Amino acid sequence: MSDAPDTFYVTTPIYYVNDKPHLGHVYTTMVADVVARYHRLRGDDTFFLTGVDEHSAKVVDKAAEMGLSTEDWAEQNAGAFKATFEKLEMTHDDFVRTSSDHHKAKVTEYVAALLKSGEVYEGEYAGWYDAGQEEYVPENKAKELDYKSEVNGKPLVKKTEKNYFFRLSNHVPALLEHFEANPGFVQPAARRNEIINRIKDAEDIPISRTGTSGWGIPVPGDPEQSIYVWIDALFNYLTYVDTPERRHYWQSGAVHLIAKDILWFHASVWPAMLMALAKIDGYGWVNLPKMVYTHSYWISESGEKMSKSLGNFLDPEAIDRAVDTFGLDALRYFLATRGPLGTTDSAFSADLFAETYNADLANTFGNSASRVTNMIGKYFGGVLPEVGDGGKPFAVADDALFDHLKLEGAAQLGLRVVREQVDGYIEATRPFTIAKEPERMGEVGTILYNCAEALRIASVLLWPFIPDACEAFWERIGCDYAAQMKADGGKGKLDEWLAWGQLKPGTPIEKGDALFPRYVAEKK
Ligand code: MSP
């Protein structure tokens, strides 16, 4: 097993509440959830944070369009995010709302300290503004883009305002040093190079806006100005663990999961603000995150924006459609193992979803579980047989796959156990043939015990990806793991549960329905 530290803090972006959650938001939180589940199981003192970003002008505009107060619209959508994450059985330890009193008080405190130290100063800003992104675009970049938004193509607008600025430029040398000394800070590596090039020319950045109709956190001492939503939002990672009980999570080095759209803020502005804060009396405990992991996008199938079985792939209803058709475990499994974790985008293809489901879940784990429990039913009256002296222990090495977000590889470890230690082993030993000779039932018993034990081990490896099916399976083979999962996420049980020989001969084994019924596409 890897020697990663025993405290683990993982975060997702906090999502804008201008609308309901869609599959893109669910994706990052799902990935964080799979990783958090693994870390708890491994025994790490784990904290997983997700939530919503409320003080955006987009929320104000959309609420007005809907004829609602900003508060009501934010409340409604924050509720929708929360409900979706609960329905999808996310195991976050807290849910950020930037409108919470604790968050607002802490952000005010940090900005006041930065103002006092001179890291934040008053000035005037004139620049090209991308209204959709609520972001100023530097002159050279604006020119490159022909003064149009990189994201929505709308014209950039020239804007002048009184602002408070953060001395980002002061931190450029320290940032570059940090990148040099910590090659794993921004991952994957290709993203790191992009950022290093951009940081070299970083200028001071405005961190306030002139009034946003009372929405947002006022600049301390200047209520005419509100703290720029991005600064307010980035601080969530710190405010939510800035309590005596939680501070050690921050200090263990946060792992921020984000997509490529928001890398700049996370890899430059954020660490620089933390460096600035750390120099101030009372904030000496503030260190930098351990890693900013930047994934790519889910995109629609080329040339086909709408697909019959999954509809518009990202819209909020797509979440329900995928769960209704394939089940929650399957959605989690597909997102986590076939998603854009690296530097290339992934097509959300209905065909690939069905193929993955059938290949990895229905035909592998699900089918093997049915086969083995069926044979135990048929040959041993549904009672786990004795293992003779042919017990077949094996070891599993995980090579720190989760630490590097190699989720497909991590899931493959579990599937490989099923394929090699169960399917391949059954093909090689043919228990159904041996069972025709009554005097050889001892051998059959040993084979089936080995298979049941291998499936149990595979299910422990697969649990972060398909928890519901694994818990149902444990119930059938008489393991009490599910109760422990409920109590504390199975904290620290990984090594014990991966060790060979936990199942007790004589335990009733239940067949049950198929864990993953084969999916047959409806005729188009
Ligand atoms: N509120 C800011 C983030 C502040 S973090 C301090 C924001 N919010 S957002 O609602 O636009 O969410 C952006 C994030 O949603 C992406 O970084 C990514 O994590 C996720 N995704 C949104 N669409 C996605 C895809 N199509 N594919 C993958 N991830 C997607 O930016």
Side-chain angles (χ1 to χ4, degrees):
M1 297 288 131
S2 95
D3 54 6
D6 64 357
T7 302
F8 182 70
Y9 178 35
V10 64
T11 70
T12 74
I14 50 172
Y15 309 105
Y16 288 130
V17 289
N18 54 323
D19 229 323
K20 286 190 283 187
H22 61 60
L23 258 174
H25 309 127
V26 161
Y27 173 63
T28 314
T29 298
M30 198 75 113
V31 167
D33 184 62
V34 168
V35 172
R37 282 173 183 263
Y38 167 78
H39 277 272
R40 289 191 199 100
L41 193 54
R42 190 170 76 170
D44 294 346
D45 175 8
T46 301
F47 199 83
F48 161 24
L49 189 66
T50 191
V52 291
D53 182 358
E54 300 183 80
H55 298 134
S56 153
K58 291 186 205 189
V59 181
V60 180
D61 296 349
K62 191 70 195 281
E65 203 183 304
M66 306 292 293
L68 290 171
S69 73
T70 310
E71 287 78 3
D72 285 352
W73 184 235
E75 183 74 31
Q76 198 171 311
N77 286 312
F81 270 91
K82 214 170 188 177
T84 299
F85 292 164
E86 266 158 37
K87 197 169 80 183
L88 299 178
E89 297 174 7
M90 304 292 192
T91 59
H92 45 287
D93 296 286
D94 207 343
F95 183 88
V96 173
R97 289 200 58 177
T98 53
S99 60
S100 69
D101 291 341
H102 173 80
H103 176 80
K104 289 196 288 195
K106 281 287 170 192
V107 171
T108 307
E109 180 197 307
Y110 305 150
V111 174
L114 291 169
L115 266 164
K116 195 163 161 229
S117 74
E119 289 280 0
V120 168
Y121 62 94
E122 196 185 317
E124 190 162 84
Y125 189 84
W128 293 105
Y129 190 68
D130 180 336
Q133 292 301 99
E134 292 182 51
E135 191 181 349
Y136 277 99
V137 181
E139 180 62 41
N140 54 353
K141 184 139 187 244
K143 193 170 171 201
E144 229 173 73
L145 295 167
D146 198 21
Y147 304 96
K148 295 201 178 88
S149 165
E150 191 173 22
V151 177
N152 61 19
K154 291 192 185 152
L156 301 172
V157 286
K158 191 92 195 181
K159 225 173 138 175
T160 307
E161 55 179 321
K162 169 188 159 185
N163 272 151
Y164 289 87
F165 286 79
F166 169 58
R167 293 191 194 279
L168 177 59
S169 60
N170 269 4
H171 298 277
V172 167
L175 281 172
L176 292 173
E177 255 170 56
H178 188 76
F179 273 84
E180 181 75 35
N182 301 276
F185 180 62
V186 168
Q187 290 192 40
R191 300 283 179 219
R192 172 177 180 259
N193 302 335
E194 267 170 50
I195 282 297
I196 291 178
N197 285 330
R198 198 168 157 195
I199 284 179
K200 287 183 182 141
D201 318 309
E203 293 168 3
D204 292 352
I205 55 148
I207 61 138
S208 72
R209 293 286 180 269
T210 316
T212 32
S213 44
W215 193 235
I217 307 176
V219 170
D222 189 350
E224 296 287 290
Q225 296 266 316
S226 57
I227 296 168
Y228 177 35
V229 63
W230 259 105
I231 302 303
D232 167 355
L234 286 166
F235 274 129
N236 92 86
Y237 302 129
L238 189 60
T239 61
Y240 268 70
V241 291
D242 188 357
T243 65
E245 306 75 40
R246 292 182 178 178
R247 218 168 262 174
H248 68 288
Y249 291 116
W250 181 262
Q251 291 177 291
S252 73
V255 171
H256 296 312
L257 302 184
I258 58 165
K260 57 187 177 182
D261 51 340
I262 57 178
L263 176 59
W264 169 249
F265 282 105
H266 283 81
S268 64
V269 179
W270 179 226
M273 284 202 306
L274 291 166
M275 285 173 174
L277 206 54
K279 288 193 196 137
I280 301 172
D281 256 5
Y283 293 98
W285 57 274
V286 171
N287 55 342
L288 297 195
K290 184 163 53 205
M291 166 161 93
V292 176
Y293 192 93
T294 312
H295 62 71
S296 303
Y297 287 151
W298 280 104
I299 50 170
S300 63
E301 293 173 80
S302 52
E304 195 199 347
K305 284 242 161 57
M306 304 287 282
S307 108
K308 271 198 190 124
S309 57
L310 291 170
N312 188 352
F313 79 109
L314 268 190
D315 68 26
E317 290 72 33
I319 304 166
D320 290 335
R321 275 196 301 274
V323 173
D324 289 348
T325 314
F326 295 97
L328 174 51
D329 276 349
L331 175 65
R332 168 187 287 274
Y333 185 86
F334 179 68
L335 290 181
T337 65
R338 299 300 191 279
L341 276 175
T343 46
T344 36
D345 294 339
S346 300
F348 195 92
S349 137
D351 290 345
L352 181 64
F353 196 143
E355 237 174 82
T356 304
Y357 172 86
N358 279 337
D360 291 7
L361 301 179
N363 297 348
T364 305
F365 182 62
N367 182 57
S368 296
S370 302
R371 248 179 130 184
V372 170
T373 52
N374 269 330
M375 283 195 273
I376 292 173
K378 187 164 168 197
Y379 304 130
F380 295 94
V383 172
L384 189 68
E386 289 294 332
V387 56
D389 46 15
K392 205 169 148 291
F394 57 91
V396 193
D398 82 352
D399 296 324
L401 292 164
F402 278 97
D403 293 346
H404 300 110
L405 274 297
K406 304 265 185 237
L407 298 193
E408 183 168 12
Q412 284 298 332
L413 275 187
L415 293 183
R416 205 177 310 140
V417 169
V418 176
R419 292 194 180 111
E420 290 170 8
Q421 308 293 337
V422 186
D423 296 344
Y425 174 62
I426 290 177
E427 288 327 305
T429 55
R430 309 188 72 77
F432 36 84
T433 309
I434 309 179
K436 290 179 184 143
E437 303 169 51
E439 69 283 4
R440 296 185 69 186
M441 285 315 280
E443 275 173 65
V444 178
T446 299
I447 294 169
L448 292 180
Y449 179 91
N450 285 337
C451 288
E453 194 45 24
L455 279 169
R456 183 192 61 76
I457 289 172
S459 68
V460 173
L461 294 168
L462 290 169
W463 176 79
F465 301 91
I466 48 169
D468 292 345
C470 292
E471 287 170 23
F473 179 66
W474 295 335
E475 189 94 349
R476 294 177 191 183
I477 60 170
C479 277
D480 65 348
Y481 301 172
Q484 302 196 40
M485 288 300 188
K486 252 176 208 82
D488 62 1
K491 188 156 182 229
K493 292 290 184 188
L494 186 64
D495 286 347
E496 182 188 323
W497 289 350
L498 286 183
W500 176 263
Q502 311 279 310
L503 290 176
K504 299 280 163 278
T507 306
I509 303 289
E510 217 184 295
K511 259 166 51 184
D513 297 335
L515 291 170
F516 295 103
R518 238 190 105 76
Y519 175 74
V520 184
E522 280 169 36
K523 293 238 162 28
K524 291 188 183 156

